[in-house]
Amino acid sequence: MKEKITIAVDGWSSCGKSTLAKALAKKLEYIYVDSGAMYRGVALFALRKGWVSASHTDNSMIIDNLNSIQLDFESTKPGKADLFLNGENVEKEIRKIEVSNVVSAVATIKEVRKHLVDLQRKLGDSGGVVMDGRDIGSVVFPDAELKLFVTADVDIRAQRRFEELKSKGEDVSIEAVKSNLKQRDEMDSTRKESPLIQTDDAVVLDNSHLSPGQQLEVALELVKERLKS
Ligand code: DC
């Protein structure tokens, strides 16, 4: 029986990947890595510098300055790891709609992806990791023992994200949330560099009508099988 496996959790924007990946990591006592937070960290840095906006992205400024962007995860509460950008806790800021609106454009840049994929592999190279994102099973950890492809109906995803943003005090409409989700899904799945794909060996988990607890149960059964094989 294997001791610890690598678990890749990929899927559409706001489909509950992070909720599942975090819960799995907690239950299994694995490391959890939110790879989307890393893309959001780079996007926030570029946004603050004026290198990215809704209409324009200055790829070369972003690429030339990748080495000035230090990204770290630090635990601020048990079971919670916040993203730090050059020493500043930016966990709240990276979730804002202003960052969501530009992050997919930043994530299309090949050099950004290479830089972050190298960091992601270092974070997970000793195994016992649950990482969520878009290219974890296809690019970051193609040999992961368990690959989950999470999906849910777009209206359900928009409603969940809307409620999450509202509970954080963000002033946003459900239409704006849904339109952002659809736009990101389109960009993430059609970009040239490592687009979101469902690999042949991934298990599809549609959680449209599952509670977080139920989806965790399904995933834990799959983990058990993989640990035995
Ligand atoms: O998971 P998220 O919504 O926080 O991700 C933010 C964006 O980052 C998403 O629109 C696409 C991009 N991303 C990516 O391209 N590859 C990853 N492994 C993770 C995220």
Side-chain angles (χ1 to χ4, degrees):
M1 189 149 154
K2 287 191 185 106
E3 289 241 310
K4 285 192 167 183
I5 59 171
T6 296
I7 305 174
V9 183
D10 290 299
W12 306 101
S13 289
S14 298
C15 65
K17 304 183 293 292
S18 305
T19 305
L20 173 63
K22 264 184 229 160
L24 270 175
K26 193 168 170 204
K27 186 90 187 167
L28 300 166
E29 297 184 3
Y30 281 16
I31 297 166
Y32 164 62
V33 181
D34 175 356
S35 70
M38 300 167 86
Y39 288 92
R40 287 174 180 270
V42 175
L44 176 63
F45 186 86
L47 199 59
R48 286 176 171 176
K49 294 280 186 193
W51 300 334
V52 65
S53 67
S55 54
H56 176 254
T57 310
D58 189 337
N59 287 16
S60 52
M61 285 305 281
I62 298 174
I63 294 165
D64 291 349
N65 288 281
L66 278 175
N67 286 327
S68 345
I69 307 175
Q70 173 73 33
L71 299 171
D72 303 285
F73 287 103
E74 277 179 35
S75 181
T76 49
K77 275 193 214 156
K80 192 170 179 284
D82 287 356
L83 184 78
F84 283 69
L85 167 62
N86 294 333
E88 174 194 349
N89 186 337
V90 291
E91 187 58 35
K92 272 204 185 123
E93 213 161 335
I94 58 168
R95 309 288 163 196
K96 292 193 170 165
I97 197 124
E98 292 82 359
V99 175
S100 299
N101 284 338
V102 296
V103 64
S104 288
V106 172
T108 60
I109 307 170
K110 187 171 144 198
E111 289 80 358
V112 169
R113 302 203 67 82
K114 185 179 176 321
H115 184 78
L116 295 186
V117 167
D118 287 347
L119 287 176
Q120 288 153 10
R121 287 188 178 139
K122 274 188 204 132
L123 289 170
D125 66 359
S126 41
V129 66
V130 188
M131 193 175 292
D132 75 336
R134 305 291 186 292
D135 60 343
I136 311 305
S138 57
V139 176
V140 183
F141 296 124
D143 298 327
E145 286 90 347
L146 177 60
K147 298 182 186 178
L148 296 170
F149 189 88
V150 186
T151 179
D153 178 83
V154 69
D155 287 308
I156 293 176
R157 288 191 280 135
Q159 185 66 34
R160 288 176 183 160
R161 179 64 115 193
F162 173 66
E163 277 163 18
E164 188 190 331
L165 289 171
K166 250 189 13 189
S167 73
K168 289 180 183 162
E170 279 226 42
D171 181 20
V172 63
S173 69
I174 186 137
E175 291 76 24
V177 173
K178 190 172 169 188
S179 134
N180 170 261
L181 286 192
K182 286 173 116 179
Q183 201 184 340
R184 284 201 289 146
D185 286 351
E186 169 74 14
M187 279 183 97
D188 295 342
S189 57
T190 57
R191 68 177 174 228
K192 216 169 105 217
E193 294 301 326
S194 33
L196 168 67
I197 51 158
Q198 182 194 318
T199 58
D200 291 342
D201 51 354
V203 179
V204 179
L205 208 166
D206 183 337
N207 65 22
S208 300
H209 304 289
L210 295 181
S211 68
Q214 288 169 325
Q215 76 164 347
L216 176 63
E217 285 307 311
V218 175
L220 282 172
E221 275 309 307
L222 294 163
V223 172
K224 265 193 220 154
E225 278 172 23
R226 298 302 194 275
L227 282 168
K228 275 190 222 140
S229 63

